[in-house]
Amino acid sequence: LTRDAGGVGVDFGLLADVCVGHNAYDVTLDAYFDQAAWAALPALPPRALRGAGRLVKLVASEEGVLRAAALPPAGLESLVRWGPEPSEPGEPVALTVDNNSCAGYAWLLHADEAVVAADCAALHELQAAGRLFDVDSASGAES
């Protein structure tokens, strides 16, 4: 089951599972196929989230060819999943111009919202400075 968050195959369910305790996709299946699980769900959403989470769209600020693997940035305490596209050396990097051309996703989860916010800001700084991907811009990206 793909849990789409605006892009094909993007798993938003992880964030909902951790922060809310369940996600809309699984509970919909429960409503049809698992009456005991459906009946066990709370009648109302939680008064407070169980943690903080963000799904961050990655931005490629320049196009070309990836020179080195797109590894997760060091020091992001809340980073639980890293999904850059492209990710391997030699792959073309297309300039991000809209939501559909994002360069992948980072899933941030932590008990402290301030940690998630700081990590999100750090990712945005790396993206703005063109340091998220090691790109050979002289090569040009292929279509």
Side-chain angles (χ1 to χ4, degrees), residues 75-110:
L76 300 180
E77 188 178 345
S78 67
L79 182 67
V80 296
R81 188 180 297 168
W82 179 246
E85 298 171 13
S87 62
E88 299 301 320
E91 292 183 333
V93 178
L95 185 66
T96 301
V97 296
D98 57 23
N99 280 335
N100 293 326
S101 63
C102 74
Y105 297 89
W107 288 258
L108 307 178
L109 285 167
H110 198 276

Side-chain angles (χ1 to χ4, degrees), residues 4-49:
D4 196 358
V8 176
V10 179
D11 185 357
F12 190 76
L14 172 64
L15 297 175
D17 286 342
V18 172
C19 295
V20 179
H22 53 271
N23 67 75
Y25 301 100
D26 290 341
V27 299
T28 299
L29 291 172
D30 290 344
Y32 288 99
F33 303 112
D34 188 344
Q35 291 301 307
W38 174 251
L41 285 171
L44 298 172
R47 292 187 185 268
L49 295 177

